Amino acid sequence: MRVAATESGRATHPIERFPQTPTPQSQQHAPRLATPHHITPLHSLSDSEMDFEKILGKCGDCHRYQYMLMALYGFLMFVVSRHYFAQNVISFVPDHWCHHPDLEHRSFEEIAAIYSQFENPSCTRLASIDPDGSNATASSEACDRWIYNYDFGFRSMNAELNWVCDAAYKARVGQSLFFVGSMCGTLIFGLLGDTIGRIKAMILANWCGFLGDSATIFAQSLVTFSVSRFVSGLAAEANAYLMYILALEYVSPSLRNVGLNLILSVFYSLGMISASWQAVWVGEWRTFMAWSAVPLLLVTLFYFLVQESAQWLVTRHDIDGALLRLRRVAHFNRREVSEEDFEQFRVHCKGQESASSHHSMQRQSKLMDALKTPRLRLRMINVLLVFTIITLCYNTVSRNVEGLGLSPFIMFTLFALTLPPSGLFQAQAQKSMGRKFTAVSSMVATGLMTAACGILLTFWKQPSPVLLVALILTSRFGISVCTGATMQISAELVPTCVRSGILAVAHVSGAAFSFVSPFILHLDTYFRAASSIIICLLLFASAWICLLMPETRNKKLPMSLAEGEQFGKGERMFDFLRRPKKEDEADLSAETHQKLVPE
């Protein structure tokens, strides 16, 4: 008996090996069933075949190199978080009122009381003020100078350039172009990641981020600010998910589940908190932008520390390059791997190439060929839909912070503190119940919770700020779990050869539809629970789509389009609820002499 290999060489089910019988001459030349020219039939592995999961296990998939990779991933998440939210920090608009000479020696409370009698206090110019401040007369002239009540003393870009009132649109234009740049950069660098490699594409993306943030420091007009924010936005998403893909392809399933999710949540949270309070510390937006830009250059050092994806090199038919990277990983991990093992891996790769023509193998490396595979095409559409819906819901929940009466710096800190527990909860849920269960259950629970909060606030006209913040943080916790679970199951379902490109399209689609989020929130002016109910329905639809996708837990991830086409074949909608029997797991692990870890 031999055993079919799964993720990291683990077993899934026994396959009987029957004695071979002589084949009649007439049957030896019988015609074989035709298969599509762009699909390569999957062949089961014999005990002697050395696939990528086996050779990576020998080189070390949970050792010194993987720990270094996790540390670098954490550093990048810290930098990415600061880079992304610097866009929000520099655009904070403090309380402001039109300047008048008689207001120069009054407190902010007195100024606010004087302006409270006007409909638009921030942009109304005063003609005269009584000495006691009890009466004031509005002027017909436009306001050209303001009094700012800086939040924690931080002078934002909007305040320094006086981009408030009639000029407030300038900052919004720059922010919009930042997200346009994010969409373009995600698509461009995502496709480059499948063409020139993950490392090079990631470094180029971070260079764009550095140039954009550096140029923003010297911006004085709408044109220069918009161009600089567009360039900065090119790195907003690409640098993060390219490193995520690279780490995903080099680490063991246990480290992939707990390590990636926990590091992402902890260091992203630290980046948000540090961005908020460093801005308060430096007190001025240009200095803060310089502090946010410089760390992006340090990512260039990753080129000398991180190995290019060996899986990706195999899909590009660079077997020598893949072996070189695997040897370096083994050397770094201080693992002894024989040349015979490497040679067996080479033979395995050559065998996979010979299973189809060279022309069709080249086609498998292209993004458009994924659309020619029936089952994989449908799965990619489902991944795209789920990713888009979750991104839209995440941005809608994140922007729903108006009217809380709290400093934006405090709100940033509170939001950040929900990320580590959400990441830990997601990792434990995926470890115990699997990716699919975690994604579906978190979407359903978050949808119900969000709708309940919206309906409660509809009938409770004046809720306390503490309760309001608690409800929003609870929703933020739930949507963070949904986002992390969606990101991981989406990355694992996509074959290695087109993983970067397809996830880039998913990020672009999510960012594009996120422009709808302000309009969803605007519906609350007509019915308080409108946005909450819409988010609930969207999350329910996303959970239903997730039910149509296969589970990835304890499975060998697909590398080629052929493996992606066959992945999850025969799996039913609710099979993920059935846990394998312990005795079966023990038998299978005994056959392969490996531990079957339920990750």
Side-chain angles (χ1 to χ4, degrees):
M1 177 181 291
R2 63 190 178 91
V3 179
T6 60
E7 188 177 13
S8 299
R10 298 183 179 92
T12 55
H13 59 276
I15 302 177
E16 296 292 344
R17 178 177 294 171
F18 298 100
Q20 295 184 353
T21 57
T23 303
Q25 185 69 21
S26 60
Q27 296 183 10
Q28 291 181 2
H29 301 283
R32 302 177 65 182
L33 293 177
T35 57
H37 69 277
H38 57 279
I39 297 296
T40 304
L42 291 178
H43 300 280
S44 59
L45 297 175
S46 64
D47 294 336
S48 60
E49 285 184 338
M50 183 70 66
D51 66 348
F52 182 82
E53 300 292 342
K54 288 184 178 180
I55 191 65
L56 181 61
K58 290 180 176 292
C59 296
D61 57 5
C62 189
H63 293 78
R64 298 172 69 231
Y65 177 76
Q66 282 71 30
Y67 297 148
M68 182 193 72
L69 200 61
M70 292 294 99
L72 294 177
Y73 178 66
F75 170 76
L76 184 61
M77 289 303 100
F78 180 82
V79 173
V80 166
S81 176
R82 291 173 54 87
H83 170 71
Y84 189 86
F85 288 103
Q87 173 75 13
N88 300 77
V89 172
I90 66 174
S91 300
F92 286 162
V93 180
D95 293 335
H96 56 283
W97 306 270
C98 282
H99 178 268
H100 190 278
D102 293 342
L103 298 176
E104 292 181 352
H105 301 291
R106 296 179 184 268
S107 66
F108 291 119
E109 290 77 11
E110 293 174 333
I111 296 174
I114 293 173
Y115 274 101
S116 62
Q117 57 186 300
F118 299 100
E119 182 179 357
N120 189 8
S122 297
C123 305
T124 300
R125 187 167 185 171
L126 300 181
S128 61
I129 306 174
D130 289 348
D132 58 357
S134 60
N135 188 24
T137 303
S139 173
S140 59
E141 298 181 4
C143 191
D144 56 3
R145 188 180 175 187
W146 285 266
I147 299 172
Y148 292 100
N149 182 13
Y150 296 114
D151 202 352
F152 286 98
F154 176 71
R155 298 185 300 276
S156 67
M157 177 203 65
N158 291 50
E160 180 178 320
L161 301 179
N162 287 325
W163 284 0
V164 294
C165 296
D166 293 338
Y169 74 94
K170 296 182 179 180
R172 289 194 286 268
V173 170
Q175 292 174 357
S176 299
L177 286 176
F178 176 85
F179 291 108
V180 171
S182 173
M183 290 188 293
C184 296
T186 300
L187 184 59
I188 293 171
F189 292 113
L191 295 176
L192 283 176
D194 284 333
T195 305
I196 65 175
R198 303 353 183 177
I199 296 294
K200 295 178 182 178
M202 181 180 64
I203 292 175
L204 289 175
N206 280 274
W207 283 355
C208 289
F210 171 77
L211 292 175
D213 283 356
S214 300
T216 303
I217 298 174
F218 305 99
Q220 294 287 344
S221 65
L222 176 60
V223 175
T224 56
F225 177 70
S226 299
V227 172
S228 62
R229 297 321 295 159
F230 174 83
V231 176
S232 177
L234 293 173
E237 295 282 352
N239 50 5
Y241 82 85
L242 283 171
M243 186 64 181
Y244 181 85
I245 292 174
L246 193 63
L248 184 78
E249 296 171 350
Y250 261 122
V251 301
S252 65
S254 58
L255 197 59
R256 181 188 306 155
N257 178 39
V258 180
L260 285 178
N261 291 313
L262 195 57
I263 287 177
L264 169 63
S265 58
V266 170
F267 283 89
Y268 204 84
S269 172
L270 292 176
M272 289 180 63
I273 296 174
S274 68
S276 300
W277 297 108
Q278 188 183 41
V280 173
W281 176 57
V282 299
E284 192 264 336
W285 73 276
R286 297 183 190 275
T287 306
F288 169 74
M289 285 301 298
W291 277 93
S292 298
V294 171
L296 292 168
L297 275 184
L298 298 178
V299 180
T300 307
L301 299 176
F302 283 27
Y303 184 82
F304 305 100
L305 299 174
V306 180
Q307 301 300 318
E308 184 56 83
S309 171
Q311 286 192 39
W312 173 78
L313 290 170
V314 170
T315 64
R316 306 299 293 181
H317 316 292
D318 186 3
I319 301 176
D320 291 334
L323 288 174
L324 175 62
R325 271 67 178 187
L326 289 171
R327 285 190 172 93
R328 291 175 178 174
V329 171
H331 177 74
F332 193 91
N333 287 335
R334 299 176 182 174
R335 298 292 295 269
E336 295 286 342
V337 183
S338 65
E339 286 298 322
E340 181 182 357
D341 291 331
F342 286 121
E343 189 60 31
Q344 288 181 7
F345 176 67
R346 182 192 297 274
V347 171
H348 169 74
C349 295
K350 291 293 185 181
Q352 293 295 316
E353 287 188 2
S354 63
S356 63
S357 65
H358 179 73
H359 174 69
S360 63
M361 288 295 291
Q362 288 291 346
R363 292 170 57 88
Q364 290 182 0
S365 298
K366 296 181 181 179
L367 179 61
M368 294 304 296
D369 279 304
L371 301 177
K372 300 178 182 179
T373 56
R375 298 184 68 257
L376 181 59
R377 176 179 65 238
L378 179 60
R379 190 181 310 136
M380 294 305 99
I381 293 175
N382 290 337
V383 167
L384 182 65
L385 289 175
V386 171
F387 209 101
T388 301
I389 292 173
I390 294 301
T391 303
L392 172 60
C393 293
Y394 181 84
N395 287 324
T396 304
V397 172
S398 299
R399 293 176 181 177
N400 192 16
V401 295
E402 296 183 359
L404 299 180
L406 293 178
S407 165
F409 297 104
I410 296 177
M411 286 306 305
F412 257 64
T413 302
L414 293 177
F415 279 174
L417 291 177
T418 64
L419 294 179
S422 67
L424 183 61
F425 176 83
Q426 175 200 338
Q428 293 301 319
Q430 290 183 154
K431 180 179 180 180
S432 302
M433 305 302 298
R435 277 68 158 154
K436 188 174 178 178
F437 178 87
T438 304
V440 173
S441 60
S442 63
M443 292 172 190
V444 173
T446 304
L448 291 174
M449 179 176 56
T450 303
C453 292
I455 295 173
L456 176 64
L457 294 177
T458 300
F459 297 100
W460 194 352
K461 299 300 182 182
Q462 294 182 341
S464 65
V466 175
L467 175 63
L468 191 58
V469 171
L471 293 176
I472 292 178
L473 291 180
T474 304
S475 298
R476 181 64 181 260
F477 174 88
I479 200 65
S480 297
V481 176
C482 295
T483 304
T486 300
M487 180 181 295
Q488 180 157 345
I489 194 172
S490 299
E492 292 178 345
L493 284 172
V494 179
T496 302
C497 57
V498 291
R499 182 171 292 149
S500 179
I502 290 180
L503 292 184
V505 175
H507 276 81
V508 170
S509 177
F513 278 87
S514 293
F515 284 120
V516 184
S517 61
F519 301 99
I520 295 177
L521 292 174
H522 182 69
L523 295 176
D524 286 350
T525 58
Y526 305 101
F527 179 57
R528 181 65 181 83
S531 64
S532 300
I533 294 176
I534 291 175
I535 292 174
C536 176
L537 296 176
L538 288 173
L539 288 173
F540 281 3
S542 180
W544 172 259
I545 298 173
C546 278
L547 288 174
L548 304 177
M549 299 189 294
E551 174 64 90
T552 60
R553 178 181 178 223
N554 281 339
K555 293 183 180 179
K556 179 178 178 291
L557 301 185
M559 292 180 60
S560 65
L561 294 186
E563 294 176 352
E565 177 70 8
Q566 298 298 320
F567 188 83
K569 190 172 184 178
E571 181 178 332
R572 293 175 295 182
M573 182 180 291
F574 294 101
D575 280 353
F576 70 98
L577 297 176
R578 300 171 55 189
R579 302 197 64 179
K581 297 180 180 180
K582 293 183 178 180
E583 56 269 21
D584 294 340
E585 293 179 359
D587 293 341
L588 293 175
S589 60
E591 287 287 343
T592 56
H593 304 286
Q594 295 192 34
K595 183 181 178 182
L596 184 59
V597 183
E599 306 299 358

